[in-house]
Amino acid sequence: MTTFEALGIDARLIQATDELGYVNPTAIQEQAIPLLLSGTQDFIGLAQTGTGKTAAFGLPLLHIIDAAARYPQALVVCPTRELCLQIVKEIELFKKYMTGVSVVAVYGGASIGLQIRDLKRGVQIVVATPGRLIDLIERKAINLEQIKYVVLDEADEMLNMGFQDDIEFILKNTPQRESTWLFSATMPPEIRKVSKRYMKDPKEVTVGKMNTANKSIDHQYYVTTAQHRYETLKRIIDFNPGIYGIIFTRTKLDAQEISERLTREGYDIDALHGDLTQGQRDKVMGQFRDKSLQLLIATDVAARGIDVVGITHVINYELPDDVEIYTHRSGRTGRAGNLGICISIVHAKEMYKFKQIERINNSQFHKMDIPSGKDVCRKQFFHFMDKLLSADISHGDYETYVPLLAEKFADVTKEDVLKRVAAMEFDRFLKYYENAEDLNLRERSRRDTNERSDSGRREERSSDRGRGDSRKEYTRGGGYSRLFLNLGTKDGFFKASFLQFILDMSDLKKEVLGKIDMKDMNSWIEIERGAAQQMIRSLDGKKYKGRSIRMNDADSGGPRRGA
Ligand code: AMP
């Protein structure tokens, strides 16, 4: 195994990485660092978050910039504010023993005035989100004339978010660029295009297989009915007393509602979604990072780029539509050599989707039984007793009180003390779970309801054939309409953000929706017939980014799929 010394980086950087506990370079670092130190080699790193890619570009940048020159020499562009702050934080740690080097984060949603002031102080490395960077360029508050190195981090995410023009603008406006380093988890054709147009003979390195699940993540799933989803979530949380996790929902309304409900029921949780102000987001993230919050519930858009150390569980309250989103969600855990668990709560009608995710991830997912009330109580009880037994009693002045306590407890047996502790600590659990029902969707209960049994079996079978046909059978039978909408991925939407957008606009719940089919310019949405008019009324004729939205019933005269 190589060492950081062997890669040729500055001794001061090695001292810092040593202190951070980096013993050996990761695969991407080993391959990228020696190339990037030349400063003239264009580079494409196909690596997901969690592979150590920030250090793979951060360390060489710090090594090659001129600390004596106080103007921007390196520009890192990344999709979100979270990621921006995280990159700056890591670079700050790496440069601990270097003097005269400054790095600044510029991102939307925060005071531009303060960022301009920071830039004026003289910095060598600027880490930016595309929108804010363009704003600063237009205000002539940043000078890119002397930028030598441009890093595009999470390039696929930036393109997904509709930043393609911005990125091209940035690349065109860095005339002295000596090298461009592009990092991306996937390689869609749009990225190929950008690399062909703006990079010369890039060296391409892939670490880990694309779309292959991280082997340090155990993928588990629990099958229940749609109406027991919330109870199942609670049971999973209760069954894992030491959990430090992120729960994902598809809409911000769900994130908010579940967070409020769990908070009312005494759980340590807060929500992260697009409606929060930057200040609120910072507060929630700060509390989660320092572990004063045990659980975070988030939408995909809001959670993009989050890198928190030590997350034990990721829970999919609902499955995402895209396999890539599943991979992104699950990648929040099992990082930097730790083991993690990714749990999905699935109901029968989603099995086809789940099987597809499993197949593309190319790893086996484990079906788990939803724990019974008794299982939960037992787990909580033993967890507490383990904590009791491992409490540090070597410090405090306990000896002063122990004889007095011993006297007080003279007539109480050890068993009684345990029972009393249990009664105090677990009364809530014992009462709550006293007559808890079995939440597992069992074969027997499926057969009880003919309709559910039919659709469930049909959809499980259909996983072998592909999802399209079976879904049509289900939706037609269930009284669905198909709507056409003139917005698509070119408008900067992901499936999840799109779903959130149409639900927020129409004030409808996601349960009314069936399959969503997104193309570049248009989308087709299956929706319960009774809700279709409300959605059309809420969207048709409105504006999105200055464009008029058109929505109509796809099967009665509007443009047809593939037309
Ligand atoms: P990234 O892929 O840059 O988001 O990095 C994922 C995590 O791995 C971060 O928490 C880093 O601090 C950590 N990390 C990066 N490089 C190493 C290394 N060589 N050894 C151990 N941990 C690392």
Side-chain angles (χ1 to χ4, degrees), residues 49 78 309 326 343 421:
T49 35
C78 64
V309 179
Y326 180 91
I343 289 175
V421 172

Side-chain angles (χ1 to χ4, degrees), residues 4 21-26 29 48-55 86 90 307 309 335-336:
F4 280 102
Y22 296 8
V23 181
N24 298 103
T26 64
Q29 291 160 4
Q48 299 184 343
T49 35
T51 52
K53 65 186 169 58
T54 316
Q86 191 188 305
E90 285 207 42
D307 178 24
V309 179
R335 296 164 84 86

